[in-house]
Amino acid sequence: VQLQASGGGLVQPGGSLRLSCAASGSIFSISTMNWYRQPPGQQRELVARIRSTGSTVYADSVKDRSTISRDNAKNTVYLQMNSLKPEDTAVYYCNADIRSWTTPNTRNYWGQGTLVTVSS
């Protein structure tokens, strides 16, 4: 099982960006899917979470500016971020709890990270 994140890049303050993360491999089911970020010199933090039920959780710093969604048919999670600020600059990581056909228990997986830089 692998998670592949994409969509990062350089964006001007006030701009928007959509991150995607696709899970691949021998997947039986995916429960919670998350986006984390790690700003330069800081610890990794949770940005948004979406459960298999569709319920969502957001960090206060991105609430009202971001939307997390998922396409279960594509095993993909998205993060739409609007009104971006310089302090949103970070490496963004996707994370998911996945049960594969080859392991009996659900395991937690991380993607490789995608860099988002907000700067003029």
mmCIF file of all heavy atoms in Angstrom, residues 1-3 22-31 33 70 72 74-76 96-103 109:
data_model
loop_
_atom_site.group_PDB
_atom_site.id
_atom_site.type_symbol
_atom_site.label_atom_id
_atom_site.label_comp_id
_atom_site.label_asym_id
_atom_site.label_seq_id
_atom_site.Cartn_x
_atom_site.Cartn_y
_atom_site.Cartn_z
ATOM 1 N N VAL A 1 0.856 -1.191 0.000
ATOM 2 C CA VAL A 1 0.000 0.000 0.000
ATOM 3 C C VAL A 1 0.886 1.233 0.000
ATOM 4 O O VAL A 1 1.845 1.326 0.758
ATOM 5 C CB VAL A 1 -0.931 0.018 1.219
ATOM 6 C CG1 VAL A 1 -1.717 1.338 1.289
ATOM 7 C CG2 VAL A 1 -1.904 -1.165 1.168
ATOM 8 N N GLN A 2 0.527 2.200 -0.854
ATOM 9 C CA GLN A 2 1.275 3.460 -0.934
ATOM 10 C C GLN A 2 0.302 4.625 -1.017
ATOM 11 O O GLN A 2 -0.813 4.494 -1.527
ATOM 12 C CB GLN A 2 2.173 3.470 -2.166
ATOM 13 C CG GLN A 2 3.344 2.510 -2.103
ATOM 14 C CD GLN A 2 4.261 2.673 -3.296
ATOM 15 O OE1 GLN A 2 3.833 3.051 -4.375
ATOM 16 N NE2 GLN A 2 5.541 2.392 -3.098
ATOM 17 N N LEU A 3 0.765 5.772 -0.502
ATOM 18 C CA LEU A 3 0.035 7.020 -0.637
ATOM 19 C C LEU A 3 0.886 7.974 -1.463
ATOM 20 O O LEU A 3 2.071 8.169 -1.151
ATOM 21 C CB LEU A 3 -0.258 7.645 0.732
ATOM 22 C CG LEU A 3 -1.212 6.895 1.649
ATOM 23 C CD1 LEU A 3 -1.316 7.598 2.994
ATOM 24 C CD2 LEU A 3 -2.586 6.772 1.012
ATOM 25 N N ALA A 22 -3.569 9.934 -3.489
ATOM 26 C CA ALA A 22 -4.165 8.683 -3.941
ATOM 27 C C ALA A 22 -3.506 7.499 -3.257
ATOM 28 O O ALA A 22 -2.280 7.395 -3.220
ATOM 29 C CB ALA A 22 -4.033 8.558 -5.450
ATOM 30 N N ALA A 23 -4.326 6.627 -2.737
ATOM 31 C CA ALA A 23 -3.841 5.377 -2.144
ATOM 32 C C ALA A 23 -3.898 4.283 -3.195
ATOM 33 O O ALA A 23 -4.861 4.199 -3.967
ATOM 34 C CB ALA A 23 -4.686 5.002 -0.941
ATOM 35 N N SER A 24 -2.857 3.457 -3.223
ATOM 36 C CA SER A 24 -2.825 2.376 -4.196
ATOM 37 C C SER A 24 -2.298 1.110 -3.537
ATOM 38 O O SER A 24 -1.671 1.153 -2.482
ATOM 39 C CB SER A 24 -1.938 2.766 -5.380
ATOM 40 O OG SER A 24 -0.611 3.006 -4.958
ATOM 41 N N GLY A 25 -2.544 0.007 -4.179
ATOM 42 C CA GLY A 25 -2.103 -1.276 -3.643
ATOM 43 C C GLY A 25 -3.286 -2.182 -3.373
ATOM 44 O O GLY A 25 -4.387 -1.964 -3.864
ATOM 45 N N SER A 26 -3.032 -3.186 -2.554
ATOM 46 C CA SER A 26 -4.047 -4.199 -2.265
ATOM 47 C C SER A 26 -4.941 -3.713 -1.113
ATOM 48 O O SER A 26 -4.848 -4.193 0.004
ATOM 49 C CB SER A 26 -3.358 -5.508 -1.892
ATOM 50 O OG SER A 26 -4.297 -6.536 -1.696
ATOM 51 N N ILE A 27 -5.812 -2.772 -1.436
ATOM 52 C CA ILE A 27 -6.605 -2.101 -0.416
ATOM 53 C C ILE A 27 -7.953 -2.770 -0.232
ATOM 54 O O ILE A 27 -8.709 -2.919 -1.187
ATOM 55 C CB ILE A 27 -6.783 -0.621 -0.781
ATOM 56 C CG1 ILE A 27 -5.429 0.078 -0.787
ATOM 57 C CG2 ILE A 27 -7.747 0.065 0.197
ATOM 58 C CD1 ILE A 27 -5.458 1.474 -1.361
ATOM 59 N N PHE A 28 -8.262 -3.114 1.015
ATOM 60 C CA PHE A 28 -9.577 -3.657 1.342
ATOM 61 C C PHE A 28 -10.520 -2.535 1.749
ATOM 62 O O PHE A 28 -11.640 -2.448 1.276
ATOM 63 C CB PHE A 28 -9.466 -4.687 2.462
ATOM 64 C CG PHE A 28 -10.781 -5.214 2.945
ATOM 65 C CD1 PHE A 28 -11.476 -6.158 2.200
ATOM 66 C CD2 PHE A 28 -11.338 -4.778 4.145
ATOM 67 C CE1 PHE A 28 -12.706 -6.645 2.634
ATOM 68 C CE2 PHE A 28 -12.558 -5.261 4.586
ATOM 69 C CZ PHE A 28 -13.242 -6.200 3.824
ATOM 70 N N SER A 29 -10.026 -1.653 2.636
ATOM 71 C CA SER A 29 -10.851 -0.520 3.058
ATOM 72 C C SER A 29 -9.974 0.590 3.612
ATOM 73 O O SER A 29 -8.858 0.337 4.074
ATOM 74 C CB SER A 29 -11.873 -0.947 4.110
ATOM 75 O OG SER A 29 -11.219 -1.369 5.291
ATOM 76 N N ILE A 30 -10.486 1.807 3.546
ATOM 77 C CA ILE A 30 -9.812 2.977 4.115
ATOM 78 C C ILE A 30 -10.764 3.640 5.082
ATOM 79 O O ILE A 30 -11.901 3.951 4.713
ATOM 80 C CB ILE A 30 -9.383 3.977 3.030
ATOM 81 C CG1 ILE A 30 -8.494 3.303 1.999
ATOM 82 C CG2 ILE A 30 -8.654 5.158 3.676
ATOM 83 C CD1 ILE A 30 -8.086 4.214 0.852
ATOM 84 N N SER A 31 -10.324 3.836 6.310
ATOM 85 C CA SER A 31 -11.195 4.515 7.259
ATOM 86 C C SER A 31 -10.843 6.007 7.269
ATOM 87 O O SER A 31 -11.188 6.724 6.344
ATOM 88 C CB SER A 31 -11.111 3.879 8.644
ATOM 89 O OG SER A 31 -9.762 3.746 9.060
ATOM 90 N N MET A 33 -8.899 9.469 6.778
ATOM 91 C CA MET A 33 -7.864 10.043 5.913
ATOM 92 C C MET A 33 -7.560 11.443 6.428
ATOM 93 O O MET A 33 -8.488 12.185 6.786
ATOM 94 C CB MET A 33 -8.315 10.075 4.455
ATOM 95 C CG MET A 33 -8.731 8.711 3.926
ATOM 96 S SD MET A 33 -9.157 8.712 2.167
ATOM 97 C CE MET A 33 -7.515 8.537 1.441
ATOM 98 N N ARG A 70 -13.197 13.359 -0.055
ATOM 99 C CA ARG A 70 -12.638 12.088 -0.488
ATOM 100 C C ARG A 70 -13.496 11.470 -1.577
ATOM 101 O O ARG A 70 -14.725 11.677 -1.612
ATOM 102 C CB ARG A 70 -12.469 11.123 0.692
ATOM 103 C CG ARG A 70 -13.740 10.769 1.400
ATOM 104 C CD ARG A 70 -13.457 10.076 2.738
ATOM 105 N NE ARG A 70 -13.015 8.686 2.585
ATOM 106 C CZ ARG A 70 -12.575 7.927 3.581
ATOM 107 N NH1 ARG A 70 -12.511 8.428 4.811
ATOM 108 N NH2 ARG A 70 -12.208 6.674 3.358
ATOM 109 N N ASN A 72 -14.131 7.809 -2.594
ATOM 110 C CA ASN A 72 -13.883 6.432 -2.159
ATOM 111 C C ASN A 72 -13.653 5.496 -3.343
ATOM 112 O O ASN A 72 -12.912 4.519 -3.227
ATOM 113 C CB ASN A 72 -15.032 5.935 -1.304
ATOM 114 C CG ASN A 72 -15.112 6.668 0.027
ATOM 115 O OD1 ASN A 72 -14.092 7.034 0.612
ATOM 116 N ND2 ASN A 72 -16.326 6.901 0.509
ATOM 117 N N LYS A 74 -12.015 6.159 -5.913
ATOM 118 C CA LYS A 74 -10.637 6.368 -6.384
ATOM 119 C C LYS A 74 -9.619 6.259 -5.258
ATOM 120 O O LYS A 74 -8.432 6.456 -5.480
ATOM 121 C CB LYS A 74 -10.511 7.739 -7.043
ATOM 122 C CG LYS A 74 -11.341 7.908 -8.295
ATOM 123 C CD LYS A 74 -11.142 9.294 -8.901
ATOM 124 C CE LYS A 74 -11.959 9.460 -10.176
ATOM 125 N NZ LYS A 74 -11.789 10.821 -10.772
ATOM 126 N N ASN A 75 -10.092 5.967 -4.042
ATOM 127 C CA ASN A 75 -9.187 5.888 -2.883
ATOM 128 C C ASN A 75 -8.339 7.155 -2.766
ATOM 129 O O ASN A 75 -7.129 7.083 -2.517
ATOM 130 C CB ASN A 75 -8.282 4.650 -2.966
ATOM 131 C CG ASN A 75 -9.037 3.362 -2.787
ATOM 132 O OD1 ASN A 75 -10.048 3.316 -2.082
ATOM 133 N ND2 ASN A 75 -8.569 2.309 -3.422
ATOM 134 N N THR A 76 -8.975 8.284 -2.944
ATOM 135 C CA THR A 76 -8.256 9.553 -3.004
ATOM 136 C C THR A 76 -8.870 10.563 -2.032
ATOM 137 O O THR A 76 -10.095 10.624 -1.891
ATOM 138 C CB THR A 76 -8.286 10.121 -4.425
ATOM 139 O OG1 THR A 76 -7.639 9.199 -5.310
ATOM 140 C CG2 THR A 76 -7.555 11.445 -4.508
ATOM 141 N N ALA A 96 -3.340 7.958 6.217
ATOM 142 C CA ALA A 96 -4.614 7.223 6.193
ATOM 143 C C ALA A 96 -4.503 5.912 6.957
ATOM 144 O O ALA A 96 -3.431 5.300 7.042
ATOM 145 C CB ALA A 96 -5.013 6.945 4.753
ATOM 146 N N ASP A 97 -5.622 5.506 7.505
ATOM 147 C CA ASP A 97 -5.754 4.192 8.146
ATOM 148 C C ASP A 97 -6.338 3.228 7.120
ATOM 149 O O ASP A 97 -7.476 3.396 6.697
ATOM 150 C CB ASP A 97 -6.669 4.282 9.376
ATOM 151 C CG ASP A 97 -6.060 5.119 10.475
ATOM 152 O OD1 ASP A 97 -4.830 5.077 10.646
ATOM 153 O OD2 ASP A 97 -6.816 5.833 11.167
ATOM 154 N N ILE A 98 -5.534 2.245 6.752
ATOM 155 C CA ILE A 98 -5.903 1.373 5.643
ATOM 156 C C ILE A 98 -5.794 -0.082 6.060
ATOM 157 O O ILE A 98 -4.827 -0.504 6.694
ATOM 158 C CB ILE A 98 -4.972 1.640 4.431
ATOM 159 C CG1 ILE A 98 -5.116 3.084 3.968
ATOM 160 C CG2 ILE A 98 -5.292 0.673 3.291
ATOM 161 C CD1 ILE A 98 -4.150 3.492 2.866
ATOM 162 N N ARG A 99 -6.810 -0.835 5.663
ATOM 163 C CA ARG A 99 -6.749 -2.284 5.823
ATOM 164 C C ARG A 99 -6.529 -2.873 4.433
ATOM 165 O O ARG A 99 -7.299 -2.599 3.509
ATOM 166 C CB ARG A 99 -8.035 -2.822 6.437
ATOM 167 C CG ARG A 99 -7.996 -4.323 6.671
ATOM 168 C CD ARG A 99 -9.265 -4.823 7.316
ATOM 169 N NE ARG A 99 -9.291 -6.283 7.375
ATOM 170 C CZ ARG A 99 -10.341 -6.991 7.747
ATOM 171 N NH1 ARG A 99 -11.469 -6.378 8.102
ATOM 172 N NH2 ARG A 99 -10.276 -8.302 7.783
ATOM 173 N N SER A 100 -5.491 -3.644 4.317
ATOM 174 C CA SER A 100 -5.205 -4.259 3.019
ATOM 175 C C SER A 100 -5.698 -5.699 2.996
ATOM 176 O O SER A 100 -6.051 -6.271 4.035
ATOM 177 C CB SER A 100 -3.708 -4.207 2.726
ATOM 178 O OG SER A 100 -3.028 -5.176 3.508
ATOM 179 N N TRP A 101 -5.712 -6.280 1.812
ATOM 180 C CA TRP A 101 -6.122 -7.676 1.664
ATOM 181 C C TRP A 101 -5.070 -8.626 2.228
ATOM 182 O O TRP A 101 -5.365 -9.799 2.501
ATOM 183 C CB TRP A 101 -6.356 -8.007 0.192
ATOM 184 C CG TRP A 101 -7.610 -7.402 -0.354
ATOM 185 C CD1 TRP A 101 -7.705 -6.278 -1.114
ATOM 186 C CD2 TRP A 101 -8.944 -7.876 -0.170
ATOM 187 N NE1 TRP A 101 -9.023 -6.025 -1.423
ATOM 188 C CE2 TRP A 101 -9.810 -6.981 -0.865
ATOM 189 C CE3 TRP A 101 -9.516 -8.962 0.501
ATOM 190 C CZ2 TRP A 101 -11.198 -7.148 -0.910
ATOM 191 C CZ3 TRP A 101 -10.897 -9.130 0.465
ATOM 192 C CH2 TRP A 101 -11.713 -8.229 -0.231
ATOM 193 N N THR A 102 -3.841 -8.119 2.416
ATOM 194 C CA THR A 102 -2.738 -8.995 2.813
ATOM 195 C C THR A 102 -2.401 -8.932 4.294
ATOM 196 O O THR A 102 -1.590 -9.717 4.767
ATOM 197 C CB THR A 102 -1.479 -8.644 2.009
ATOM 198 O OG1 THR A 102 -1.155 -7.263 2.243
ATOM 199 C CG2 THR A 102 -1.708 -8.858 0.521
ATOM 200 N N THR A 103 -3.002 -7.983 5.026
ATOM 201 C CA THR A 103 -2.737 -7.904 6.461
ATOM 202 C C THR A 103 -4.067 -7.934 7.215
ATOM 203 O O THR A 103 -5.046 -7.350 6.761
ATOM 204 C CB THR A 103 -1.965 -6.635 6.839
ATOM 205 O OG1 THR A 103 -2.716 -5.504 6.404
ATOM 206 C CG2 THR A 103 -0.593 -6.613 6.183
ATOM 207 N N TYR A 109 -0.674 4.699 7.302
ATOM 208 C CA TYR A 109 0.295 4.947 6.237
ATOM 209 C C TYR A 109 0.484 6.453 6.023
ATOM 210 O O TYR A 109 -0.467 7.237 6.195
ATOM 211 C CB TYR A 109 -0.182 4.315 4.931
ATOM 212 C CG TYR A 109 -0.231 2.820 4.944
ATOM 213 C CD1 TYR A 109 -1.353 2.146 5.432
ATOM 214 C CD2 TYR A 109 0.849 2.064 4.488
ATOM 215 C CE1 TYR A 109 -1.401 0.765 5.455
ATOM 216 C CE2 TYR A 109 0.807 0.677 4.497
ATOM 217 C CZ TYR A 109 -0.316 0.037 4.983
ATOM 218 O OH TYR A 109 -0.355 -1.348 5.003
#
